[in-house]
Amino acid sequence: MYQTAPDFPAAESVLYNSPLGILILEADEAGLTAVRFSPEQAPDTAVRPGPITTRAAEWLDGYFSGSCPEPDFPLNLKGTPFQKEVWAILQTIPAGKTMTYGEIARILADRRGIDRMAAQAVGQAVGKNPVCILVPCHRVLGQCQRLTGYAGGLERKKALLTLEGAEFLFDSN
């Protein structure tokens, strides 16, 4: 099932077959660096299982079975200081709860002692999240709790929020 390739860039890599499609999990020596949905076609990604990606896959097993276990492995998020600040806020949103881009922008503005921050800037940082599901960018909604934006597709975002029992508005148009 696992293939290895000496030139594969990640120290660890696993393909995880989730109910929403294949996830690619990658880690380096410092922690989990990426969890992303694979393109719709079958991936030809070589894999190298290791302790971090194995524990992340086990966490995902628990998550998709309806529990929200605490991650017991390190994350190594690579991004700008602003992105990391946004991602840290995402990690405080409990399962089944949501925040809007505007609410996160207000938190950041308050921290900086400024009147306002653009929700669009928050949206761009959320969209760059390298570790979907574990850094729960799917819990961020647009104005009036509307389902908007998700790199994995709105149907997946809807499914994740439904799994968690979160309330949101979904326009099927």
Side-chain angles (χ1 to χ4, degrees):
M1 178 177 196
Y2 294 121
Q3 302 166 340
T4 60
D7 59 343
F8 192 69
E12 297 180 31
S13 159
V14 168
L15 301 178
Y16 179 84
N17 191 13
S18 84
L20 303 177
I22 295 173
L23 290 165
I24 301 170
L25 288 64
E26 296 177 350
D28 61 18
E29 61 283 343
L32 194 66
T33 58
V35 175
R36 63 187 187 283
F37 285 99
S38 172
E40 294 306 314
Q41 68 275 11
D44 70 10
T45 304
V47 296
R48 287 187 174 156
I52 295 170
T53 52
T54 298
R55 289 193 335 243
E58 291 168 353
W59 184 93
L60 287 165
D61 285 343
Y63 175 82
F64 284 114
S65 70
S67 69
C68 275
E70 285 295 317
D72 65 345
F73 47 87
L75 299 178
N76 185 14
L77 303 176
K78 297 177 179 168
T80 68
F82 178 75
Q83 289 169 339
K84 289 179 180 181
E85 189 174 6
V86 170
W87 301 337
I89 292 170
L90 300 182
Q91 292 176 65
T92 68
I93 307 170
K97 302 294 181 190
T98 60
M99 291 182 84
T100 66
Y101 295 98
E103 288 171 325
I104 295 171
R106 282 189 289 284
I107 290 168
L108 294 169
D110 288 346
R111 286 182 183 174
R112 287 167 171 72
I114 59 177
D115 290 337
R116 69 185 252 32
M117 175 169 285
Q120 293 86 349
V122 170
Q124 288 177 346
V126 169
K128 298 285 185 183
N129 171 20
V131 181
C132 74
I133 303 174
L134 287 130
V135 175
C137 52
H138 62 277
R139 295 180 188 150
V140 182
L141 301 174
Q143 290 180 342
C144 303
Q145 300 298 98
R146 293 209 181 279
L147 194 66
T148 60
Y150 188 62
L154 286 182
E155 287 299 326
R156 285 181 175 140
K157 184 173 185 171
K158 178 182 174 187
L160 291 168
L161 290 170
T162 300
L163 173 72
E164 295 179 5
E167 294 183 19
F168 58 93
L169 297 175
F170 180 65
D171 295 327
S172 58
N173 303 352

